[in-house]
Amino acid sequence: MLFEFTPSIKASLAAGKHVEILSNGISIGIVRDTADEGLFAPAIGALVDSCPLSPLTVPIQLLMTGAILGANIVQKHQAFYARNQQNILLQTGLQSLRINVEVLQTTTAMIELSKTSNVALEAVNLQQILKLKKEVEQVRLEVKDGLIDLQQAFKYQGIEVRQIVKEVAENIEFDKHRLVLVKAYTLLLKALNLLHSALKSRDSHQRNAEIDSAREILLEVLAYYMSPQLLEQTSAPGQLRRLECAWAVEQAIVITYQLQNEMVAVSDRLSHLRDQIKEHTCTVISNCESYDELNFLFPEISRICKHDLAILEIWQARIDWIRSLTAKELELLASNNSNSSEFTECWNSNQSATDTSLPPEQIAYEDLAEKSHFYSLLDQLIFMFKPVLRQEYEVYINQQAHVTGHKILVPKNLQQASHLTVANLYYYFKVRDETNTEETLETIIA
């Protein structure tokens, strides 16, 4: 991720008057001047692969709270204005979480009926999901009980898609899933309303009581989305959708701890969530059974890896950095809040330029698909989350290359190779090795 700063901050960085802050070895999108007063300045935007940051499940506002307002600095270091500005950001973030869940869980119906048609998967792929999110945010689509009106959403789609939408409305089997999703969403809405109420409360006891109640409800919501029975009954794309809803709920749980200034708990939950996303995603990839499913999964999982996981990592790094600050440094960080509205407007302006055309992940996948095959593509996807697996492949390739005299395939070169190259080389040598083994066995038997 490449952070963007105002022209004046860029010039100051080039002149050595400001320096980027690192936490856990990564840039957190905040700079500090090198003078004695040590004032801070946050980024006004971020780029991933030269495109504006546009996560699928993590609201950008949750990243901004740590940059602009000190990620819920201990209240004695906060002015009323600073708390109010932070609450506005958190409320916007909670609203974005709700919209994400509405869009993601609605499309599970289309995905479930995609078992007989690839058309449904294409109708709710990464590109379409990003468009749906924007339409819901702009109140162009009606949402009832946490589910978007599919007929309204897809009224301009082809005949096949509209037919699937009709089947969704009449599908009795999916009604079981629908009831669970509606119940989960109803509870989610109750929890989010409690958090909104807590943000407005000046009574610390009432505030904490409402936050505690919201967290208990969110844990119940999480159990619905993570139901083993429902996850087992659905396809890999459907599993991903339900897990994405669960990740959104996990983020809301993190916010409850952040509101109570439980920074150790926030850091721990974020670390746990990142590990969960990696583990869940690898499970989904291992359950992928066809090219149709892979065409759906690859771009979306790539977006989650490059955007969502990146935000969570920086969010955690910022929390850990704030925990290390002295009381004086916290006051300095809080003193920057006079410019918080300006930075928020700049950030929103920069990120709103997100293109809704074909996502770069889709373009990259189509290029990879022309140069690879099904199992190699699956492994390339897993490499994003399990670098250890890639290292095992590199060792195998190096061993086989040594036997066959391919001197260029040494560890140093393999480490610099793309995921595509490593996965394809692995299967090249794997097939060659298995073929040689079969020929040897045939010779022995003969």
Side-chain angles (χ1 to χ4, degrees), residues 29 77 100 114 125 141 160 202 328 349 365 367 400 424:
H77 297 298
N100 288 346
S114 69
N125 64 11
L141 293 175
E160 288 183 85
R202 295 192 183 185
K328 182 179 179 180
S349 176
Y365 168 69
D367 180 58
Q400 295 299 313
N424 282 355

Side-chain angles (χ1 to χ4, degrees), residues 17 45 88 96 116 119 122 133 162 189 193 252 268 310 357 434:
K17 295 180 180 179
I88 291 172
S96 294
T116 57
V119 175
E122 291 180 348
K133 283 177 63 176
R162 297 202 304 272
L189 208 57
N193 287 336
D268 288 346
S357 60
E434 290 174 355

